[in-house]
Amino acid sequence: MEIIERVSQLNSGMKIPRIGFGTAASPQNIIQMKQAVATALKVGYKHFDTASIYGTEPALGEALSEAFRNGIAKRDDVFVTSKMYAADHDDPVSALKTSLKNLQLEYLDLYLIHWPINLRKGVSHPSPKEEDFLPLDIESIWRGMEQCVELGLTKSIGVSNFSSKKIGDLLSYAKISPAVSQVLLRWGLEQGVSVLPKSYNSCRITENYQVFEWSLTEEDHEKISKLPQKKIVRREGLINSTTSPYKTIQDLWDGEI
Ligand SMILES: NC(=O)c1ccc[n+]([C@@H]2O[C@H](COP(=O)([O-])OP(=O)(O)OC[C@H]3O[C@@H](n4cnc5c(N)ncnc54)[C@H](OP(=O)(O)O)[C@@H]3O)[C@@H](O)[C@H]2O)c1
């Protein structure tokens, strides 16, 4: 069995645990989140993934701070990621400070630009209206992200849902290079990336972390490599012919779809 390291080194010098606990779906209540986080910490998860738009920062923050108070975990031993929402791109520092307040943390380990789109303040609908789009200037957003690192509010910064073309453009002007661009579970690990299974169910949280204890066969790899690739989260709602920087789905993903 191929041994897979449980952490990877980022270009920022920080280490990222390879399995993250996803929180994109809201828990039924705070108790469910607290139980799920306590189980996750017990079985070995050290990386927690949230985003401003998921609405789970406060519940995750409460669950983590209870775990810190009870001595189940220490802040420095866990890796917390959050993502900036597209209507907050005018001021990444303020957006991150709000996330930190929600999460009851003094710093994040990783802060990401969630989507390469710029929306009017207060817009949260997944399919924004034409008037909700603002001109997109990724360079100026990235300057704000860099400031977040300089102020010690986050250890690393990165992107999510960026095509490799957009990442290439970003690298041409970044003073601080993105450390992460946020895949299937074991397959993803064997490709050398970190993965984020989401479950609030104790058995499945445990089962998902046992991914280090088994491996895919050559035959499995061959079958997976032949599966047609399809992006599940395509976000057609971000396309319009007038105000969006993306007139077609191919534009949004730079043909990488
Ligand atoms: N950057 C981005 O734009 C982006 C986009 C998508 C996702 N993400 C991150 O990735 C995480 C995962 O997202 P996803 O879309 O892959 O997950 P998902 O579809 O939101 O949730 C996974 C589903 O599978 C179930 N499940 C989990 N483990 C299972 C198991 N071992 N057997 C059977 N069912 C199982 C969970 O239910 P139970 O809870 O009942 O177990 C849940 O309903 C998110 O929470 C988020 O943190 C980021």
Side-chain angles (χ1 to χ4, degrees), residues 20-25 32 49-51 54 83 112 114-115 160-161 182-183 185 195-201 203-205 207-208 233:
F21 180 90
T23 65
Q32 188 188 35
D49 181 77
T50 182
Y54 297 165
K83 308 178 202 95
L112 306 177
H114 204 159
W115 282 90
S160 143
N161 302 300
Q182 267 197 349
V183 221
L185 198 55
V195 295
L196 302 165
K198 175 266 155 190
S199 180
Y200 294 143
N201 171 287
C203 297
R204 293 192 285 276
I205 292 170
E207 182 183 311
N208 292 342
V233 184

Side-chain angles (χ1 to χ4, degrees), residues 34-53:
K34 283 183 180 175
Q35 285 171 344
V37 167
T39 304
L41 288 166
K42 199 166 127 205
V43 300
Y45 290 76
K46 292 185 183 309
H47 173 179
F48 295 84
D49 181 77
T50 182
S52 160
I53 195 65

Side-chain angles (χ1 to χ4, degrees), residues 52-53 83-96 111-123 132-148 158-162 235 238 245-246:
S52 160
I53 195 65
K83 308 178 202 95
M84 176 168 55
Y85 184 56
D88 295 328
H89 285 166
D90 59 322
D91 189 351
V93 169
S94 296
L96 176 45
Y111 194 43
L112 306 177
I113 299 181
H114 204 159
W115 282 90
I117 200 84
N118 203 11
L119 298 176
R120 236 172 4 91
K121 271 270 168 261
V123 172
D132 295 336
F133 287 83
L134 298 175
L136 178 68
D137 175 1
I138 296 179
E139 183 168 352
S140 88
I141 302 170
W142 194 251
R143 294 290 169 241
M145 297 291 281
E146 291 173 330
Q147 214 187 339
C148 292
V159 297
S160 143
N161 302 300
F162 272 44
R235 297 294 307 270
L238 299 182
Y246 310 114

